[in-house]
Coordinates of all heavy atoms in Angstrom, one line a residue:
V1 N 12.4 1.9 23.3 CA 11.8 0.6 22.8 C 10.3 0.7 22.8 O 9.7 0.3 21.8 CB 12.3 -0.6 23.6 CG1 11.6 -1.9 23.3 CG2 13.8 -0.7 23.5
R2 N 9.7 1.1 23.9 CA 8.2 1.3 24.0 C 7.6 2.1 22.9 O 6.6 1.8 22.3 CB 7.9 1.8 25.4 CG 6.5 1.8 25.7 CD 6.2 2.2 27.2 NE 6.7 3.5 27.5 CZ 7.7 3.7 28.3 NH1 8.3 2.8 28.9 NH2 8.1 5.0 28.5
E3 N 8.3 3.2 22.6 CA 7.8 4.2 21.6 C 8.3 4.0 20.2 O 8.2 4.9 19.4 CB 8.1 5.6 22.1 CG 7.5 6.0 23.4 CD 6.0 6.3 23.3 OE1 5.6 6.8 22.4 OE2 5.4 5.8 24.4
F4 N 9.0 2.9 19.9 CA 9.8 2.8 18.7 C 8.9 3.0 17.4 O 9.3 3.7 16.5 CB 10.5 1.4 18.6 CG 11.2 1.2 17.2 CD1 12.4 1.8 17.1 CD2 10.7 0.5 16.2 CE1 13.1 1.6 15.9 CE2 11.3 0.4 15.0 CZ 12.6 1.0 14.9
Y5 N 7.7 2.4 17.4 CA 6.9 2.5 16.2 C 6.2 3.9 16.0 O 5.3 4.0 15.1 CB 5.9 1.3 16.1 CG 6.7 0.1 15.8 CD1 6.9 -0.9 16.7 CD2 7.2 -0.2 14.5 CE1 7.7 -2.0 16.5 CE2 7.9 -1.3 14.2 CZ 8.1 -2.2 15.2 OH 8.9 -3.4 14.9
F6 N 6.4 4.8 17.0 CA 6.0 6.1 16.8 C 7.1 7.0 16.4 O 8.0 7.3 17.2 CB 5.3 6.7 18.1 CG 4.9 8.1 18.1 CD1 3.7 8.4 17.4 CD2 5.7 9.2 18.5 CE1 3.3 9.7 17.3 CE2 5.4 10.4 18.4 CZ 4.2 10.8 17.8
G7 N 7.3 7.3 15.1 CA 8.4 8.1 14.6 C 9.6 7.3 14.0 O 10.5 7.8 13.5
H8 N 9.5 5.9 14.1 CA 10.6 5.1 13.6 C 9.8 3.9 12.9 O 8.6 3.7 13.1 CB 11.4 4.5 14.7 CG 12.0 5.6 15.6 ND1 11.5 6.1 16.7 CD2 13.2 6.2 15.4 CE1 12.3 7.1 17.2 NE2 13.3 7.1 16.4
Q9 N 10.7 3.2 12.1 CA 10.1 2.1 11.4 C 11.2 1.0 11.2 O 12.4 1.4 11.0 CB 9.7 2.6 10.0 CG 9.1 1.6 9.2 CD 8.4 2.3 8.0 OE1 7.3 2.8 8.1 NE2 9.1 2.2 6.8
D10 N 10.8 -0.2 11.5 CA 11.8 -1.3 11.3 C 12.3 -1.4 9.8 O 11.6 -0.8 8.9 CB 11.3 -2.6 11.7 CG 10.0 -3.1 11.0 OD1 10.1 -3.3 9.8 OD2 8.9 -3.0 11.7
S11 N 13.3 -2.1 9.5 CA 13.9 -2.2 8.2 C 13.2 -3.2 7.3 O 13.5 -3.3 6.1 CB 15.4 -2.4 8.2 OG 15.6 -3.6 8.9
Y12 N 12.2 -3.9 7.8 CA 11.6 -5.0 7.1 C 10.2 -4.5 6.5 O 9.2 -5.1 6.7 CB 11.3 -6.2 8.1 CG 12.6 -6.9 8.6 CD1 12.9 -6.7 10.0 CD2 13.4 -7.5 7.8 CE1 14.0 -7.3 10.5 CE2 14.5 -8.1 8.3 CZ 14.9 -8.0 9.6 OH 16.0 -8.5 10.1
R13 N 10.3 -3.5 5.7 CA 9.2 -2.9 5.1 C 9.4 -2.7 3.5 O 10.5 -2.3 3.2 CB 8.8 -1.5 5.6 CG 8.6 -1.4 7.1 CD 7.3 -2.0 7.5 NE 7.2 -2.1 9.0 CZ 6.3 -1.5 9.6 NH1 5.4 -0.8 9.1 NH2 6.2 -1.6 11.0
L14 N 8.5 -3.2 2.7 CA 8.6 -2.9 1.3 C 7.4 -2.0 1.1 O 6.2 -2.4 1.2 CB 8.5 -4.2 0.5 CG 8.2 -4.0 -1.0 CD1 9.4 -3.4 -1.7 CD2 7.9 -5.3 -1.7
I15 N 7.6 -0.7 0.8 CA 6.6 0.3 0.6 C 6.1 0.2 -0.8 O 6.8 0.3 -1.7 CB 7.1 1.7 0.9 CG1 7.7 1.9 2.4 CG2 6.1 2.8 0.7 CD1 8.5 3.0 2.7
V16 N 4.8 0.1 -0.8 CA 4.1 0.0 -2.2 C 3.3 1.2 -2.4 O 3.2 1.7 -3.5 CB 3.2 -1.2 -2.3 CG1 2.4 -1.3 -3.5 CG2 4.1 -2.6 -2.2
N17 N 2.6 1.8 -1.4 CA 1.7 2.9 -1.5 C 2.1 4.0 -0.6 O 2.3 3.8 0.6 CB 0.3 2.4 -1.2 CG -0.2 1.3 -2.0 OD1 -0.4 1.5 -3.2 ND2 -0.5 0.2 -1.5
L18 N 1.9 5.2 -1.1 CA 2.1 6.4 -0.2 C 0.7 7.1 -0.1 O 0.6 8.2 0.6 CB 3.1 7.5 -0.9 CG 4.5 7.1 -0.9 CD1 5.3 8.1 -1.7 CD2 5.0 6.8 0.5
D19 N -0.3 6.4 -0.4 CA -1.7 6.9 -0.1 C -2.6 5.8 -0.6 O -2.2 4.8 -1.1 CB -2.0 8.1 -1.1 CG -3.1 9.0 -0.6 OD1 -3.8 8.6 0.5 OD2 -3.4 10.1 -1.1
Y20 N -3.9 5.9 -0.2 CA -4.9 4.9 -0.6 C -5.7 5.5 -1.7 O -5.8 6.6 -2.0 CB -5.8 4.5 0.6 CG -6.3 5.6 1.4 CD1 -7.5 6.2 1.0 CD2 -5.7 6.0 2.5 CE1 -8.1 7.3 1.7 CE2 -6.3 7.1 3.2 CZ -7.5 7.7 2.8 OH -8.0 8.8 3.6
G21 N -6.3 4.4 -2.5 CA -7.0 4.9 -3.7 C -6.3 5.5 -4.8 O -6.9 6.2 -5.6
S22 N -5.0 5.4 -4.8 CA -4.2 6.0 -5.9 C -4.6 5.5 -7.3 O -5.0 4.3 -7.4 CB -2.7 5.8 -5.7 OG -2.3 6.4 -4.5
P23 N -4.6 6.4 -8.3 CA -4.9 5.9 -9.6 C -4.0 4.9 -10.2 O -2.7 5.0 -9.8 CB -4.9 7.3 -10.5 CG -4.1 8.2 -9.6 CD -4.2 7.8 -8.2
L24 N -4.4 4.0 -11.0 CA -3.6 3.0 -11.6 C -3.1 3.5 -13.0 O -3.9 4.2 -13.6 CB -4.3 1.7 -11.8 CG -4.8 1.0 -10.5 CD1 -5.6 -0.2 -10.9 CD2 -3.7 0.7 -9.6
V25 N -1.9 3.2 -13.3 CA -1.3 3.7 -14.6 C -0.8 2.5 -15.3 O 0.1 1.9 -14.7 CB -0.2 4.8 -14.5 CG1 0.3 5.1 -15.8 CG2 -0.8 6.0 -13.7
P26 N -1.3 2.1 -16.4 CA -2.4 2.6 -17.0 C -3.7 2.4 -16.2 O -3.9 1.5 -15.5 CB -2.5 2.0 -18.4 CG -1.8 0.7 -18.2 CD -0.8 0.9 -17.2
A27 N -4.7 3.2 -16.4 CA -6.0 3.1 -15.8 C -6.8 1.8 -16.2 O -6.7 1.4 -17.4 CB -6.9 4.3 -16.1
K28 N -7.4 1.2 -15.2 CA -8.2 0.0 -15.5 C -9.5 0.4 -16.2 O -10.0 1.5 -15.9 CB -8.5 -0.8 -14.2 CG -7.5 -1.5 -13.7 CD -7.8 -2.3 -12.5 CE -8.7 -3.5 -12.8 NZ -8.9 -4.4 -11.7
Q29 N -10.0 -0.4 -17.0 CA -11.3 -0.1 -17.7 C -12.4 -0.6 -16.8 O -13.6 -0.1 -17.0 CB -11.4 -0.8 -19.1 CG -10.3 -0.3 -20.0 CD -10.3 1.2 -20.2 OE1 -11.2 1.8 -20.6 NE2 -9.1 1.8 -20.0
S30 N -12.2 -1.5 -15.9 CA -13.2 -2.2 -15.1 C -12.9 -1.7 -13.7 O -12.0 -1.0 -13.3 CB -13.1 -3.6 -15.1 OG -11.8 -4.1 -14.8
L31 N -13.9 -2.1 -12.8 CA -13.7 -1.7 -11.3 C -12.5 -2.5 -10.8 O -12.2 -3.5 -11.2 CB -15.0 -2.1 -10.6 CG -16.3 -1.4 -10.9 CD1 -17.5 -2.0 -10.2 CD2 -16.2 0.1 -10.6
R32 N -11.9 -1.8 -9.8 CA -10.7 -2.4 -9.1 C -11.3 -3.4 -8.1 O -12.3 -3.4 -7.6 CB -10.0 -1.3 -8.3 CG -9.3 -0.4 -9.2 CD -8.8 0.8 -8.4 NE -7.7 0.5 -7.6 CZ -6.8 1.2 -7.1 NH1 -6.8 2.6 -7.5 NH2 -5.8 0.8 -6.2
S33 N -10.5 -4.5 -7.9 CA -10.8 -5.5 -6.8 C -10.6 -4.8 -5.5 O -11.4 -5.1 -4.6 CB -9.8 -6.7 -6.9 OG -10.0 -7.4 -8.1
E34 N -9.6 -4.0 -5.3 CA -9.3 -3.3 -4.0 C -9.2 -1.9 -4.3 O -8.1 -1.4 -4.8 CB -8.0 -3.9 -3.5 CG -7.6 -3.3 -2.2 CD -8.8 -3.3 -1.1 OE1 -9.1 -4.4 -0.6 OE2 -9.3 -2.3 -0.9
P35 N -10.2 -1.1 -4.0 CA -10.2 0.4 -4.4 C -9.3 1.2 -3.4 O -8.8 2.2 -3.7 CB -11.6 0.8 -4.2 CG -12.3 -0.2 -3.3 CD -11.5 -1.5 -3.6
A36 N -9.0 0.6 -2.2 CA -8.2 1.4 -1.2 C -6.7 1.0 -1.3 O -5.9 2.0 -1.3 CB -8.7 1.1 0.2
D37 N -6.3 -0.2 -1.6 CA -5.0 -0.5 -1.5 C -4.4 -1.2 -2.8 O -5.3 -1.4 -3.7 CB -4.8 -1.5 -0.4 CG -3.5 -1.4 0.3 OD1 -2.5 -0.9 -0.2 OD2 -3.4 -1.9 1.5
F38 N -3.2 -1.5 -2.9 CA -2.7 -2.0 -4.2 C -1.5 -3.0 -3.9 O -0.6 -3.1 -4.6 CB -2.1 -0.9 -5.0 CG -1.7 -1.3 -6.4 CD1 -2.6 -1.8 -7.3 CD2 -0.4 -1.3 -6.7 CE1 -2.1 -2.2 -8.6 CE2 0.1 -1.6 -8.0 CZ -0.8 -2.1 -8.9
Q39 N -1.5 -3.7 -2.8 CA -0.4 -4.5 -2.4 C -0.2 -5.8 -3.2 O 0.9 -6.2 -3.6 CB -0.5 -4.9 -0.9 CG -0.3 -3.8 0.0 CD -1.2 -3.9 1.3 OE1 -2.3 -4.1 1.2 NE2 -0.5 -3.8 2.4
R40 N -1.3 -6.3 -3.6 CA -1.3 -7.6 -4.3 C -1.3 -7.3 -5.8 O -1.1 -8.2 -6.7 CB -2.5 -8.5 -4.1 CG -2.5 -9.1 -2.7 CD -3.8 -9.9 -2.6 NE -4.8 -9.0 -2.1 CZ -6.0 -9.4 -1.5 NH1 -6.2 -10.7 -1.3 NH2 -6.8 -8.5 -1.1
G41 N -1.7 -6.1 -6.2 CA -1.8 -5.7 -7.7 C -3.2 -6.0 -8.1 O -4.1 -6.3 -7.4
E42 N -3.4 -5.6 -9.3 CA -4.7 -5.7 -10.0 C -4.6 -6.4 -11.4 O -3.5 -6.2 -12.0 CB -5.4 -4.3 -10.2 CG -5.7 -3.6 -8.9 CD -7.1 -4.0 -8.3 OE1 -7.9 -4.4 -9.1 OE2 -7.3 -3.8 -7.2
V43 N -5.5 -7.2 -11.8 CA -5.4 -7.9 -13.1 C -6.7 -7.5 -13.8 O -7.8 -7.8 -13.3 CB -5.2 -9.4 -12.9 CG1 -5.2 -10.0 -14.3 CG2 -3.9 -9.6 -12.2
E44 N -6.6 -7.3 -15.1 CA -7.7 -7.0 -15.9 C -7.4 -7.7 -17.3 O -6.4 -7.7 -17.7 CB -7.9 -5.5 -16.2 CG -9.0 -5.1 -17.0 CD -9.2 -3.6 -17.0 OE1 -8.2 -3.0 -17.6 OE2 -10.2 -3.1 -16.7
L45 N -8.5 -8.4 -17.8 CA -8.4 -9.1 -19.1 C -9.5 -8.7 -20.0 O -10.7 -8.9 -19.6 CB -8.3 -10.6 -18.8 CG -8.1 -11.5 -20.0 CD1 -6.9 -11.3 -20.7 CD2 -8.3 -12.9 -19.7

């Protein structure tokens, strides 16, 4: 129990990113709101 989050993960995760700063597809023409993460998404108009 004490070491659970080292090598294990609870089932309440929705994985969005396997790395930070990943390129967007299609690429944005403008700067990103969040250059490291992508949990909320990005919007460009």
Side-chain angles (χ1 to χ4, degrees):
V1 173
R2 188 174 56 251
E3 300 285 325
F4 180 79
Y5 289 104
F6 177 77
H8 301 92
Q9 185 168 279
D10 59 68
S11 59
Y12 297 111
R13 306 284 171 121
L14 170 65
I15 300 167
V16 176
N17 299 295
L18 292 177
D19 200 356
Y20 49 84
S22 296
L24 300 176
V25 178
K28 282 182 76 172
Q29 302 303 306
S30 58
L31 294 175
R32 292 171 66 158
S33 295
E34 179 52 74
D37 216 342
F38 186 68
Q39 292 148 305
R40 289 179 275 197
E42 294 276 335
V43 177
E44 181 176 60
L45 180 64

